[in-house]
């Protein structure tokens, strides 16, 4: 169902397996968390689509700002995502919400809805793992950023040492 979006994401990130793999991992975890936590099918679909495209603005940010910082991804990503989704004939409602989620996927201290929360949690789990973060960072993330039971369970299960404290 999301194959064409994934293919477009891979095209944008060609020759960058790290970013392709990151997006695929976030997609998998968002799908898992969203299926368990989001009853509204529209929000669930937006979360999953946004997870595939959440970092789609990284290359543009690096080119334009010489940085891949989250704030620049949030600026550059929505326009690229919009073009992709329009080319695949998604509705304006889905496009607008997905672009909003991409524009806020590094904005942690706001409640923009369960679809936003699901995306944040999946991305954080993957980032914590990829960055080989210290155990204390997992505890901090759990306390400050995680709200869904499924996200907390996944983080706990992926990071066995998190249960020591």
């Amino acid at each position: 169902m999301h194959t064409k979006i994934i293919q477009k994401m891979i095209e944008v990130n060609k020759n960058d397996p790290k970013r392709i793999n990151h997006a695929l991992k976030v997609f998998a975890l968002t799908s898992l968390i969203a299926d368990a936590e989001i009853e509204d099918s529209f929000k669930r679909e937006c979360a999953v689509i946004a997870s595939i495209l959440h970092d789609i603005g990284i290359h543009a940010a690096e080119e334009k700002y010489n940085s891949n910082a989250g704030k620049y991804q949030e600026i550059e990503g929505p326009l690229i995502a919009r073009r992709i989704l329009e080319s695949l004939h998604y509705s304006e409602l889905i496009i607008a919400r997905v672009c909003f989620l991409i524009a806020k996927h590094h904005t942690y201290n706001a409640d923009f809805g369960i679809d936003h929360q699901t995306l944040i949690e999946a991305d954080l789990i993957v980032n914590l793992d990829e960055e080989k973060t210290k155990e204390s960072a997992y505890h901090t993330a759990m306390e400050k950023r995680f709200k869904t039971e499924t996200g907390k369970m996944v983080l706990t299960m992926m990071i066995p040492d998190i249960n020591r404290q």
Side-chain angles (χ1 to χ4, degrees):
M1 182 172 196
H2 299 104
T3 303
K4 291 186 185 301
I5 302 169
I6 293 169
Q7 289 171 335
K8 296 281 188 182
M9 177 276 294
I10 290 170
E11 287 173 20
V12 171
N13 289 297
K14 68 180 175 190
N15 300 319
D16 193 346
K18 178 182 172 188
R19 300 236 167 85
I20 293 167
N21 287 325
H22 173 83
L24 292 173
K25 288 188 265 185
V26 174
F27 164 64
L29 287 176
T30 300
S31 297
L32 173 72
I33 298 167
D35 282 350
E37 300 284 342
I38 304 176
E39 291 181 23
D40 181 295
S41 61
F42 172 80
K43 288 184 179 181
R44 189 170 51 249
E45 179 69 358
C46 290
V48 171
I49 293 171
S51 72
I52 300 165
L53 300 173
H54 75 284
D55 284 345
I56 204 73
I58 283 183
H59 290 290
E62 289 172 338
E63 212 171 281
K64 189 171 184 179
Y65 306 101
N66 201 32
S67 171
N68 65 11
K71 66 181 179 179
Y72 299 126
Q73 293 175 42
E74 289 182 337
I75 293 168
E76 298 301 319
L79 181 60
I80 299 165
R82 173 171 285 285
R83 282 191 220 126
I84 290 169
L85 296 174
E86 285 175 347
S87 78
L88 297 172
H89 308 290
Y90 276 84
S91 74
E92 179 54 33
L93 242 86
I94 287 179
I95 294 170
R97 184 62 183 171
V98 168
C99 289
F100 176 82
L101 294 173
I102 292 168
K104 303 294 184 189
H105 82 277
H106 285 284
T107 304
Y108 302 124
N109 294 323
D111 183 357
F112 293 122
I114 188 66
D115 47 355
H116 177 254
Q117 184 63 37
T118 300
L119 174 60
I120 284 175
E121 290 181 12
D123 193 30
L124 279 170
I125 291 167
V126 174
N127 285 337
L128 288 166
D129 177 60
E130 289 176 348
E131 295 166 8
K132 306 297 180 217
T133 309
K134 292 181 181 176
E135 185 182 339
S136 61
Y138 292 103
H139 292 288
T140 301
M142 180 75 84
E143 291 169 19
K144 292 186 175 184
R145 305 286 180 238
F146 282 70
K147 296 178 183 173
T148 72
E149 291 307 312
T150 307
K152 291 175 185 177
M153 181 273 300
V154 171
L155 180 62
T156 301
M157 294 304 192
M158 287 186 68
I159 317 302
D161 291 342
I162 202 166
N163 293 310
R164 290 185 300 145
Q165 191 172 336

